[in-house]
Amino acid sequence: MNPGRSRYRTVAVSFVGAAAVVSVIGGCSPDSTTTGSSATLTTTTTIPKSTAPAGAGEITDQQSQQLCSDLGEQLQEWRIQGPTLGRGGLNIVVQTWAAQSGVINLQVVQNRGIVDDITIANCPEVRQEAMTSLDIPDLASGLVGF
């Protein structure tokens, strides 16, 4: 078995699992309590606790390098698969990477070009090879669902 394919499948399964969790969490809504013949909507606001450092909104060098590494590991597969299947792989890699931190996920949703900014600064060769293999002008244009 090709180790790249195994990683690709693992990433795909991880993504599907993460999507299911998000779907379940997203389906949670304010509690509705029925008393007698009327329904009362009860909403509770909870401020999440953060254990991240003060600059948690910034993408760290380690996270940037992880994106470059994840993309680099898939280049050979994308060359073999071609642009159509490869673009799906690009989405899986970026979505998995972004989902590892809710902050990054939000940043990518708000600005897909951040993936290009990170790769231009940290791994321009990997970025260029990915764009060539996937037949796209930039990585952001290959992303769907963000």
Side-chain angles (χ1 to χ4, degrees):
M1 174 175 257
N2 183 341
R5 285 193 189 272
S6 176
R7 174 162 167 75
Y8 180 76
R9 287 184 183 134
T10 300
V11 169
V13 170
S14 297
F15 175 71
V16 171
V21 169
V22 169
S23 175
V24 169
I25 292 172
C28 295
S29 61
D31 292 336
S32 177
T33 308
T34 304
T35 7
S37 61
S38 65
T40 306
L41 184 63
T42 307
T43 315
T44 306
T45 304
T46 306
I47 300 172
K49 295 180 183 177
S50 176
T51 57
E58 298 176 19
I59 297 173
T60 67
D61 288 338
Q62 181 182 5
Q63 291 166 326
S64 296
Q65 290 303 320
Q66 184 64 49
L67 175 61
C68 288
S69 174
D70 292 348
L71 291 171
E73 290 174 4
Q74 293 302 313
L75 291 177
Q76 182 62 29
E77 288 296 320
W78 295 341
R79 282 187 217 106
I80 293 168
Q81 295 170 347
T84 303
L85 291 176
R87 287 182 197 144
L90 171 65
N91 279 274
I92 290 171
V93 168
V94 173
Q95 289 174 348
T96 301
W97 170 78
Q100 291 173 351
S101 166
V103 174
I104 294 175
N105 200 32
L106 180 60
Q107 289 176 345
V108 176
V109 167
Q110 292 173 343
N111 176 16
R112 292 184 299 185
I114 198 167
V115 173
D116 285 295
D117 296 341
I118 291 168
T119 54
I120 288 169
N122 294 282
C123 53
E125 303 84 18
V126 170
R127 177 181 180 268
Q128 184 58 51
E129 184 61 34
M131 292 183 322
T132 301
S133 297
L134 302 174
D135 193 27
I136 52 178
D138 55 34
L139 297 177
S141 64
L143 298 176
V144 181
F146 279 101

